[in-house]
Amino acid sequence: MSTPKQVIDSAKKNGAKMVDAKFVDTFGTWQHFTVPISELSIDVFEEGFGFDGSSIRGWKSIEASDMLAMPDPSTAFIDPFCGVPTLSLTCTIAETGTKEAYTRDPRGIAQRGEKYLLSTGLADTAVFGPEAEFFIFDDVQFDAKANGAFYSVDSGEGIWNSGRDEMPNLGNKIRHKEGYFPVGPTDTQQDIRTEMCLMMEQLGIRIERHHHEVATAGQAEIDFRFDTLVKTADTMMLYKYIVKNVAQRHGKTATFMPKPLFGDNGSGMHTHQSLWKKGKPLFAGAEYAGLSQMALHYIGGILKHAKALCALCSPTTNSYKRLVPGYEAPVNLAYSARNRSAAIRIPTFSDNPKAKRIEYRPPDPSANPYLCYTALLMAGLDGVLNKIEPGEPMDKNMYELPPEELVKVPQVPASLGEALVHLERDHEFLLKGDVFTRDFIEMWIHHKTKEQDAIRLRPHPYEFHLYYDV
């Protein structure tokens, strides 16, 4: 881990003239402010950068808005997207005076989650590995007014452009659900994904693979190596930053919105997770699919709290355009080896105990990674501590179950509003160890209910198609 002195020495060696302090807001957007390099001293790592938190969504009111951004030296890098050499530091947010971690700071919540894990004695490390999908579009337009609303996205790969006069149109458009994964010239985004990967590797992210995803029109996935909870969430924020800015360099736009296209696959964030202690994996054993009893109880905890978890792991109204029964979406709250129709899959690519893990499939990349991964850990730990049995595994293809069998399988909520109702009823497991607070949960439900209402109260363009002539 870098020390403050090593960070300062490295910044000088690289000719850094500015320091960019980055932090994540409540809902998962990276925010930043920038100071001259002359303002960076070893004391800053202890004292923090002062700033006004009153304009950050879900944070302080204006009469108590002074906050501290505490830089983490282990997160330092020279930002490749700044024209002037700039040192980037990810910060945790603290209160002025006491320097206590701010209870609504997502990174602080994740840090408390790791401390709570240690306090249980069950394990010392929670490992997470997300698979985030996204779209790269050539153009996006949208508007919403009192008297009208529309959106339009476009991509040269889109099947809807097969008849467009491109002078010449060379074909090779990707049919719906056939983007996984033909070579070029059908896949036009090999090089831009590779550039994203190389940039990630330059900044210390270990890449495993990249490829086109299932949907037409530029759906992509880049997978990076698993790590501990906070480090993985830090990496996910940097990952999004790189994807969006490399796309921008190429005159394109990238989005992690889960369902930007009708009639094709949405973008998920399947999240692999396991517990370790003293360097040994704890999820390998002699039970179902080579799992340990601890892993089964961890699954039991996630399944018990899955509907409440959706409010944090699938946290937008758009998330529930992806989580729709009857399509290839992970809506069935069951577990199974290899079976991608279950919400929890146990990968079986390797017999190595170190590779034994579970994969939770409902989350999507609109989630704040710090909150998502911490909530999953808290649910899993609740299962382990209370020995919650997960029930029998479901090894059938649940997309093809007859209705009389499918009705017995619980499913994720049908809307953000429904997920918030479940979170309101079921959040005690999140409060253990003061990881989340009641204040945070109440704030989250309040703000997300306003989002749900914003959609509920507006006429939808397709309603004019259905009802204008009534």
PDB file of all heavy atoms in Angstrom, residues 11-12 14-22 33-40 49 77-79 82-89:
ATOM      1  N   ALA A  11       3.941  11.888  -7.309  1.00  0.00           N
ATOM      2  CA  ALA A  11       3.280  13.005  -7.999  1.00  0.00           C
ATOM      3  C   ALA A  11       4.311  13.991  -8.529  1.00  0.00           C
ATOM      4  O   ALA A  11       4.211  14.467  -9.675  1.00  0.00           O
ATOM      5  CB  ALA A  11       2.311  13.693  -7.047  1.00  0.00           C
ATOM      6  N   LYS A  12       5.317  14.301  -7.722  1.00  0.00           N
ATOM      7  CA  LYS A  12       6.369  15.223  -8.165  1.00  0.00           C
ATOM      8  C   LYS A  12       7.161  14.622  -9.319  1.00  0.00           C
ATOM      9  O   LYS A  12       7.483  15.315 -10.292  1.00  0.00           O
ATOM     10  CB  LYS A  12       7.293  15.537  -6.983  1.00  0.00           C
ATOM     11  CG  LYS A  12       6.653  16.395  -5.901  1.00  0.00           C
ATOM     12  CD  LYS A  12       7.610  16.633  -4.737  1.00  0.00           C
ATOM     13  CE  LYS A  12       6.959  17.498  -3.660  1.00  0.00           C
ATOM     14  NZ  LYS A  12       7.857  17.665  -2.476  1.00  0.00           N
ATOM     15  N   ASN A  14       6.141  12.594 -11.544  1.00  0.00           N
ATOM     16  CA  ASN A  14       5.322  12.600 -12.756  1.00  0.00           C
ATOM     17  C   ASN A  14       4.907  14.004 -13.187  1.00  0.00           C
ATOM     18  O   ASN A  14       4.117  14.159 -14.118  1.00  0.00           O
ATOM     19  CB  ASN A  14       4.075  11.742 -12.544  1.00  0.00           C
ATOM     20  CG  ASN A  14       4.369  10.254 -12.584  1.00  0.00           C
ATOM     21  OD1 ASN A  14       4.558   9.668 -13.644  1.00  0.00           O
ATOM     22  ND2 ASN A  14       4.431   9.629 -11.410  1.00  0.00           N
ATOM     23  N   GLY A  15       5.424  15.016 -12.509  1.00  0.00           N
ATOM     24  CA  GLY A  15       5.161  16.386 -12.899  1.00  0.00           C
ATOM     25  C   GLY A  15       3.739  16.846 -12.641  1.00  0.00           C
ATOM     26  O   GLY A  15       3.243  17.763 -13.321  1.00  0.00           O
ATOM     27  N   ALA A  16       3.058  16.239 -11.673  1.00  0.00           N
ATOM     28  CA  ALA A  16       1.672  16.618 -11.388  1.00  0.00           C
ATOM     29  C   ALA A  16       1.604  18.069 -10.923  1.00  0.00           C
ATOM     30  O   ALA A  16       2.395  18.509 -10.085  1.00  0.00           O
ATOM     31  CB  ALA A  16       1.080  15.697 -10.328  1.00  0.00           C
ATOM     32  N   LYS A  17       0.665  18.796 -11.484  1.00  0.00           N
ATOM     33  CA  LYS A  17       0.468  20.194 -11.117  1.00  0.00           C
ATOM     34  C   LYS A  17      -0.824  20.413 -10.323  1.00  0.00           C
ATOM     35  O   LYS A  17      -0.992  21.447  -9.681  1.00  0.00           O
ATOM     36  CB  LYS A  17       0.454  21.073 -12.369  1.00  0.00           C
ATOM     37  CG  LYS A  17       1.759  21.029 -13.159  1.00  0.00           C
ATOM     38  CD  LYS A  17       1.718  21.969 -14.335  1.00  0.00           C
ATOM     39  CE  LYS A  17       2.990  21.886 -15.164  1.00  0.00           C
ATOM     40  NZ  LYS A  17       4.222  22.128 -14.385  1.00  0.00           N
ATOM     41  N   MET A  18      -1.735  19.432 -10.399  1.00  0.00           N
ATOM     42  CA  MET A  18      -3.018  19.543  -9.716  1.00  0.00           C
ATOM     43  C   MET A  18      -3.328  18.229  -9.003  1.00  0.00           C
ATOM     44  O   MET A  18      -2.782  17.171  -9.346  1.00  0.00           O
ATOM     45  CB  MET A  18      -4.147  19.868 -10.700  1.00  0.00           C
ATOM     46  CG  MET A  18      -3.916  21.102 -11.557  1.00  0.00           C
ATOM     47  SD  MET A  18      -3.769  22.638 -10.628  1.00  0.00           S
ATOM     48  CE  MET A  18      -5.472  22.875 -10.106  1.00  0.00           C
ATOM     49  N   VAL A  19      -4.229  18.294  -8.023  1.00  0.00           N
ATOM     50  CA  VAL A  19      -4.710  17.113  -7.297  1.00  0.00           C
ATOM     51  C   VAL A  19      -6.229  17.080  -7.413  1.00  0.00           C
ATOM     52  O   VAL A  19      -6.896  18.064  -7.080  1.00  0.00           O
ATOM     53  CB  VAL A  19      -4.308  17.154  -5.807  1.00  0.00           C
ATOM     54  CG1 VAL A  19      -4.825  15.911  -5.081  1.00  0.00           C
ATOM     55  CG2 VAL A  19      -2.799  17.268  -5.664  1.00  0.00           C
ATOM     56  N   ASP A  20      -6.752  15.980  -7.877  1.00  0.00           N
ATOM     57  CA  ASP A  20      -8.202  15.815  -8.037  1.00  0.00           C
ATOM     58  C   ASP A  20      -8.710  14.903  -6.926  1.00  0.00           C
ATOM     59  O   ASP A  20      -8.308  13.734  -6.840  1.00  0.00           O
ATOM     60  CB  ASP A  20      -8.517  15.206  -9.405  1.00  0.00           C
ATOM     61  CG  ASP A  20      -9.941  15.493  -9.840  1.00  0.00           C
ATOM     62  OD1 ASP A  20     -10.369  16.649  -9.737  1.00  0.00           O
ATOM     63  OD2 ASP A  20     -10.625  14.553 -10.303  1.00  0.00           O
ATOM     64  N   ALA A  21      -9.560  15.431  -6.063  1.00  0.00           N
ATOM     65  CA  ALA A  21     -10.146  14.650  -4.973  1.00  0.00           C
ATOM     66  C   ALA A  21     -11.493  14.109  -5.443  1.00  0.00           C
ATOM     67  O   ALA A  21     -12.423  14.869  -5.717  1.00  0.00           O
ATOM     68  CB  ALA A  21     -10.330  15.526  -3.739  1.00  0.00           C
ATOM     69  N   LYS A  22     -11.589  12.790  -5.567  1.00  0.00           N
ATOM     70  CA  LYS A  22     -12.801  12.146  -6.047  1.00  0.00           C
ATOM     71  C   LYS A  22     -13.502  11.425  -4.895  1.00  0.00           C
ATOM     72  O   LYS A  22     -12.855  10.847  -4.016  1.00  0.00           O
ATOM     73  CB  LYS A  22     -12.486  11.139  -7.161  1.00  0.00           C
ATOM     74  CG  LYS A  22     -11.925  11.756  -8.443  1.00  0.00           C
ATOM     75  CD  LYS A  22     -11.689  10.666  -9.503  1.00  0.00           C
ATOM     76  CE  LYS A  22     -11.278  11.240 -10.848  1.00  0.00           C
ATOM     77  NZ  LYS A  22      -9.919  11.800 -10.859  1.00  0.00           N
ATOM     78  N   PHE A  33     -13.404  17.609  -6.851  1.00  0.00           N
ATOM     79  CA  PHE A  33     -12.920  18.986  -6.877  1.00  0.00           C
ATOM     80  C   PHE A  33     -11.401  18.925  -6.975  1.00  0.00           C
ATOM     81  O   PHE A  33     -10.783  17.898  -6.672  1.00  0.00           O
ATOM     82  CB  PHE A  33     -13.387  19.792  -5.657  1.00  0.00           C
ATOM     83  CG  PHE A  33     -12.961  19.230  -4.331  1.00  0.00           C
ATOM     84  CD1 PHE A  33     -11.729  19.543  -3.773  1.00  0.00           C
ATOM     85  CD2 PHE A  33     -13.814  18.381  -3.620  1.00  0.00           C
ATOM     86  CE1 PHE A  33     -11.339  19.025  -2.539  1.00  0.00           C
ATOM     87  CE2 PHE A  33     -13.437  17.864  -2.385  1.00  0.00           C
ATOM     88  CZ  PHE A  33     -12.202  18.181  -1.843  1.00  0.00           C
ATOM     89  N   THR A  34     -10.789  20.029  -7.424  1.00  0.00           N
ATOM     90  CA  THR A  34      -9.376  20.010  -7.763  1.00  0.00           C
ATOM     91  C   THR A  34      -8.637  21.143  -7.067  1.00  0.00           C
ATOM     92  O   THR A  34      -9.146  22.264  -6.990  1.00  0.00           O
ATOM     93  CB  THR A  34      -9.203  20.134  -9.301  1.00  0.00           C
ATOM     94  OG1 THR A  34     -10.034  19.161  -9.950  1.00  0.00           O
ATOM     95  CG2 THR A  34      -7.762  19.902  -9.706  1.00  0.00           C
ATOM     96  N   VAL A  35      -7.446  20.819  -6.544  1.00  0.00           N
ATOM     97  CA  VAL A  35      -6.610  21.823  -5.865  1.00  0.00           C
ATOM     98  C   VAL A  35      -5.199  21.776  -6.460  1.00  0.00           C
ATOM     99  O   VAL A  35      -4.800  20.751  -7.034  1.00  0.00           O
ATOM    100  CB  VAL A  35      -6.554  21.561  -4.336  1.00  0.00           C
ATOM    101  CG1 VAL A  35      -7.938  21.590  -3.726  1.00  0.00           C
ATOM    102  CG2 VAL A  35      -5.854  20.234  -4.036  1.00  0.00           C
ATOM    103  N   PRO A  36      -4.436  22.855  -6.349  1.00  0.00           N
ATOM    104  CA  PRO A  36      -3.044  22.835  -6.831  1.00  0.00           C
ATOM    105  C   PRO A  36      -2.211  21.829  -6.044  1.00  0.00           C
ATOM    106  O   PRO A  36      -2.486  21.539  -4.874  1.00  0.00           O
ATOM    107  CB  PRO A  36      -2.554  24.266  -6.585  1.00  0.00           C
ATOM    108  CG  PRO A  36      -3.794  25.086  -6.443  1.00  0.00           C
ATOM    109  CD  PRO A  36      -4.829  24.175  -5.840  1.00  0.00           C
ATOM    110  N   ILE A  37      -1.186  21.295  -6.686  1.00  0.00           N
ATOM    111  CA  ILE A  37      -0.326  20.311  -6.036  1.00  0.00           C
ATOM    112  C   ILE A  37       0.341  20.901  -4.788  1.00  0.00           C
ATOM    113  O   ILE A  37       0.680  20.169  -3.846  1.00  0.00           O
ATOM    114  CB  ILE A  37       0.746  19.793  -7.028  1.00  0.00           C
ATOM    115  CG1 ILE A  37       1.450  18.547  -6.477  1.00  0.00           C
ATOM    116  CG2 ILE A  37       1.733  20.887  -7.372  1.00  0.00           C
ATOM    117  CD1 ILE A  37       0.587  17.322  -6.415  1.00  0.00           C
ATOM    118  N   SER A  38       0.497  22.223  -4.734  1.00  0.00           N
ATOM    119  CA  SER A  38       1.104  22.870  -3.563  1.00  0.00           C
ATOM    120  C   SER A  38       0.258  22.691  -2.307  1.00  0.00           C
ATOM    121  O   SER A  38       0.764  22.847  -1.183  1.00  0.00           O
ATOM    122  CB  SER A  38       1.305  24.370  -3.834  1.00  0.00           C
ATOM    123  OG  SER A  38       0.069  24.995  -4.153  1.00  0.00           O
ATOM    124  N   GLU A  39      -1.037  22.347  -2.494  1.00  0.00           N
ATOM    125  CA  GLU A  39      -1.934  22.135  -1.354  1.00  0.00           C
ATOM    126  C   GLU A  39      -1.821  20.722  -0.779  1.00  0.00           C
ATOM    127  O   GLU A  39      -2.402  20.424   0.262  1.00  0.00           O
ATOM    128  CB  GLU A  39      -3.385  22.385  -1.772  1.00  0.00           C
ATOM    129  CG  GLU A  39      -3.701  23.827  -2.113  1.00  0.00           C
ATOM    130  CD  GLU A  39      -3.601  24.727  -0.892  1.00  0.00           C
ATOM    131  OE1 GLU A  39      -4.246  24.419   0.129  1.00  0.00           O
ATOM    132  OE2 GLU A  39      -2.860  25.732  -0.963  1.00  0.00           O
ATOM    133  N   LEU A  40      -1.075  19.853  -1.481  1.00  0.00           N
ATOM    134  CA  LEU A  40      -0.965  18.464  -1.027  1.00  0.00           C
ATOM    135  C   LEU A  40       0.247  18.307  -0.116  1.00  0.00           C
ATOM    136  O   LEU A  40       1.381  18.530  -0.520  1.00  0.00           O
ATOM    137  CB  LEU A  40      -0.831  17.521  -2.227  1.00  0.00           C
ATOM    138  CG  LEU A  40      -0.806  16.027  -1.883  1.00  0.00           C
ATOM    139  CD1 LEU A  40      -2.153  15.579  -1.302  1.00  0.00           C
ATOM    140  CD2 LEU A  40      -0.464  15.187  -3.111  1.00  0.00           C
ATOM    141  N   PHE A  49      -9.389  17.314   3.042  1.00  0.00           N
ATOM    142  CA  PHE A  49      -9.733  18.522   2.296  1.00  0.00           C
ATOM    143  C   PHE A  49     -11.133  18.965   2.729  1.00  0.00           C
ATOM    144  O   PHE A  49     -12.073  18.178   2.685  1.00  0.00           O
ATOM    145  CB  PHE A  49      -9.776  18.250   0.790  1.00  0.00           C
ATOM    146  CG  PHE A  49      -8.453  17.936   0.145  1.00  0.00           C
ATOM    147  CD1 PHE A  49      -8.191  16.665  -0.349  1.00  0.00           C
ATOM    148  CD2 PHE A  49      -7.483  18.918   0.006  1.00  0.00           C
ATOM    149  CE1 PHE A  49      -6.992  16.374  -0.965  1.00  0.00           C
ATOM    150  CE2 PHE A  49      -6.270  18.635  -0.612  1.00  0.00           C
ATOM    151  CZ  PHE A  49      -6.021  17.360  -1.097  1.00  0.00           C
ATOM    152  N   PHE A  77      -3.470   7.758  -8.607  1.00  0.00           N
ATOM    153  CA  PHE A  77      -3.020   7.541  -9.980  1.00  0.00           C
ATOM    154  C   PHE A  77      -2.976   8.884 -10.710  1.00  0.00           C
ATOM    155  O   PHE A  77      -3.632   9.843 -10.291  1.00  0.00           O
ATOM    156  CB  PHE A  77      -3.912   6.540 -10.726  1.00  0.00           C
ATOM    157  CG  PHE A  77      -5.336   6.998 -10.958  1.00  0.00           C
ATOM    158  CD1 PHE A  77      -5.694   7.698 -12.115  1.00  0.00           C
ATOM    159  CD2 PHE A  77      -6.335   6.714 -10.031  1.00  0.00           C
ATOM    160  CE1 PHE A  77      -7.004   8.115 -12.334  1.00  0.00           C
ATOM    161  CE2 PHE A  77      -7.656   7.125 -10.236  1.00  0.00           C
ATOM    162  CZ  PHE A  77      -7.981   7.829 -11.401  1.00  0.00           C
ATOM    163  N   ILE A  78      -2.206   8.952 -11.777  1.00  0.00           N
ATOM    164  CA  ILE A  78      -2.189  10.138 -12.624  1.00  0.00           C
ATOM    165  C   ILE A  78      -3.341  10.003 -13.610  1.00  0.00           C
ATOM    166  O   ILE A  78      -3.410   9.046 -14.371  1.00  0.00           O
ATOM    167  CB  ILE A  78      -0.842  10.291 -13.362  1.00  0.00           C
ATOM    168  CG1 ILE A  78       0.302  10.426 -12.356  1.00  0.00           C
ATOM    169  CG2 ILE A  78      -0.880  11.491 -14.300  1.00  0.00           C
ATOM    170  CD1 ILE A  78       0.215  11.643 -11.454  1.00  0.00           C
ATOM    171  N   ASP A  79      -4.254  10.954 -13.579  1.00  0.00           N
ATOM    172  CA  ASP A  79      -5.488  10.857 -14.360  1.00  0.00           C
ATOM    173  C   ASP A  79      -5.187  11.031 -15.851  1.00  0.00           C
ATOM    174  O   ASP A  79      -4.738  12.104 -16.278  1.00  0.00           O
ATOM    175  CB  ASP A  79      -6.480  11.928 -13.904  1.00  0.00           C
ATOM    176  CG  ASP A  79      -7.894  11.675 -14.405  1.00  0.00           C
ATOM    177  OD1 ASP A  79      -8.043  11.270 -15.575  1.00  0.00           O
ATOM    178  OD2 ASP A  79      -8.846  11.872 -13.629  1.00  0.00           O
ATOM    179  N   CYS A  82      -6.941  14.098 -18.033  1.00  0.00           N
ATOM    180  CA  CYS A  82      -6.703  15.514 -17.765  1.00  0.00           C
ATOM    181  C   CYS A  82      -5.574  16.028 -18.658  1.00  0.00           C
ATOM    182  O   CYS A  82      -4.531  15.370 -18.798  1.00  0.00           O
ATOM    183  CB  CYS A  82      -6.332  15.722 -16.295  1.00  0.00           C
ATOM    184  SG  CYS A  82      -7.679  15.347 -15.148  1.00  0.00           S
ATOM    185  N   GLY A  83      -5.768  17.208 -19.243  1.00  0.00           N
ATOM    186  CA  GLY A  83      -4.755  17.782 -20.113  1.00  0.00           C
ATOM    187  C   GLY A  83      -3.504  18.192 -19.368  1.00  0.00           C
ATOM    188  O   GLY A  83      -2.393  18.116 -19.896  1.00  0.00           O
ATOM    189  N   VAL A  84      -3.667  18.622 -18.138  1.00  0.00           N
ATOM    190  CA  VAL A  84      -2.546  18.979 -17.265  1.00  0.00           C
ATOM    191  C   VAL A  84      -2.294  17.806 -16.327  1.00  0.00           C
ATOM    192  O   VAL A  84      -3.245  17.229 -15.791  1.00  0.00           O
ATOM    193  CB  VAL A  84      -2.891  20.247 -16.449  1.00  0.00           C
ATOM    194  CG1 VAL A  84      -1.834  20.523 -15.398  1.00  0.00           C
ATOM    195  CG2 VAL A  84      -3.041  21.442 -17.390  1.00  0.00           C
ATOM    196  N   PRO A  85      -1.030  17.389 -16.106  1.00  0.00           N
ATOM    197  CA  PRO A  85      -0.767  16.258 -15.208  1.00  0.00           C
ATOM    198  C   PRO A  85      -1.456  16.436 -13.849  1.00  0.00           C
ATOM    199  O   PRO A  85      -1.196  17.421 -13.143  1.00  0.00           O
ATOM    200  CB  PRO A  85       0.755  16.258 -15.070  1.00  0.00           C
ATOM    201  CG  PRO A  85       1.240  16.880 -16.346  1.00  0.00           C
ATOM    202  CD  PRO A  85       0.221  17.923 -16.690  1.00  0.00           C
ATOM    203  N   THR A  86      -2.325  15.497 -13.525  1.00  0.00           N
ATOM    204  CA  THR A  86      -3.183  15.629 -12.342  1.00  0.00           C
ATOM    205  C   THR A  86      -3.185  14.333 -11.546  1.00  0.00           C
ATOM    206  O   THR A  86      -3.464  13.261 -12.092  1.00  0.00           O
ATOM    207  CB  THR A  86      -4.627  15.982 -12.765  1.00  0.00           C
ATOM    208  OG1 THR A  86      -4.616  17.236 -13.467  1.00  0.00           O
ATOM    209  CG2 THR A  86      -5.545  16.082 -11.562  1.00  0.00           C
ATOM    210  N   LEU A  87      -2.882  14.438 -10.261  1.00  0.00           N
ATOM    211  CA  LEU A  87      -2.929  13.297  -9.354  1.00  0.00           C
ATOM    212  C   LEU A  87      -4.364  13.095  -8.891  1.00  0.00           C
ATOM    213  O   LEU A  87      -5.013  14.025  -8.416  1.00  0.00           O
ATOM    214  CB  LEU A  87      -2.025  13.545  -8.147  1.00  0.00           C
ATOM    215  CG  LEU A  87      -2.066  12.483  -7.047  1.00  0.00           C
ATOM    216  CD1 LEU A  87      -1.394  11.199  -7.514  1.00  0.00           C
ATOM    217  CD2 LEU A  87      -1.419  13.010  -5.768  1.00  0.00           C
ATOM    218  N   SER A  88      -4.884  11.877  -9.031  1.00  0.00           N
ATOM    219  CA  SER A  88      -6.236  11.554  -8.574  1.00  0.00           C
ATOM    220  C   SER A  88      -6.166  10.770  -7.271  1.00  0.00           C
ATOM    221  O   SER A  88      -5.354   9.853  -7.129  1.00  0.00           O
ATOM    222  CB  SER A  88      -6.969  10.730  -9.631  1.00  0.00           C
ATOM    223  OG  SER A  88      -8.237  10.328  -9.155  1.00  0.00           O
ATOM    224  N   LEU A  89      -7.026  11.146  -6.308  1.00  0.00           N
ATOM    225  CA  LEU A  89      -7.109  10.454  -5.021  1.00  0.00           C
ATOM    226  C   LEU A  89      -8.578  10.208  -4.691  1.00  0.00           C
ATOM    227  O   LEU A  89      -9.396  11.128  -4.723  1.00  0.00           O
ATOM    228  CB  LEU A  89      -6.476  11.288  -3.911  1.00  0.00           C
ATOM    229  CG  LEU A  89      -4.951  11.444  -3.944  1.00  0.00           C
ATOM    230  CD1 LEU A  89      -4.512  12.566  -3.007  1.00  0.00           C
ATOM    231  CD2 LEU A  89      -4.270  10.132  -3.556  1.00  0.00           C
TER     232      LEU A  89
END
